[in-house]
Amino acid sequence: MNRMRASGLVPLWLLILAVALASCAPRITSASFDTPEGIAIERVAEIAYHRMEIGRLETGSYTTNVLIDLDLPRGVRWMVVDFTVTSYGLHFTSDTLPDVAWLVSPEGVHRIATAN
């Protein structure tokens, strides 16, 4: 009988552990990127993603040359964080949104929390 009670508590303990760990994760509120600035940065990140993919289709490998004339909003920067001929990682940040960044890779565009 005690084994049945103990085994029934396992899912409860797993749920408690998951909630406790989730509370430690960095938060990104939707208000951070649902602003005109956030929408503009995400749009630029999407354009960069598509340019990188078109460049790979045209040349057979990734190249940042396709981003030379990328029109960035004021205060926005991008940085190469990973680069090979078969993969890449670009990090877009903004002075106006210091808690969020956009990571562009062959998998697409993803918002991430920054470590500020």
Side-chain angles (χ1 to χ4, degrees):
M1 186 77 166
N2 286 338
R3 278 190 171 160
M4 289 178 61
R5 285 186 201 162
S7 66
L9 292 177
V10 170
L12 177 61
W13 282 109
L14 289 175
L15 177 64
I16 291 170
L17 180 62
V19 170
L21 290 174
S23 68
C24 297
R27 301 276 187 251
I28 303 176
T29 63
S30 62
S32 297
F33 45 81
D34 287 340
T35 62
E37 294 85 6
I39 292 168
I41 298 163
E42 187 153 347
R43 185 174 189 285
V44 168
E46 291 283 348
I47 291 170
Y49 165 76
H50 289 289
R51 286 190 183 183
M52 291 295 286
E53 293 304 311
I54 290 170
R56 182 184 61 83
L57 289 172
E58 290 178 344
T59 66
S61 62
Y62 289 112
T63 176
T64 57
N65 291 345
V66 296
L67 302 177
I68 289 174
D69 61 347
L70 185 64
D71 189 24
L72 297 175
R74 183 181 198 131
V76 173
R77 295 178 206 68
W78 65 272
M79 176 175 62
V80 177
V81 293
D82 179 36
F83 193 81
T84 67
V85 293
T86 59
S87 184
Y88 66 93
L90 307 174
H91 196 240
F92 283 78
T93 58
S94 171
D95 293 341
T96 59
L97 299 172
D99 297 332
V100 65
W102 286 259
L103 181 63
V104 181
S105 70
E107 289 77 38
V109 176
H110 305 282
R111 285 181 290 248
I112 58 173
T114 59
N116 285 335

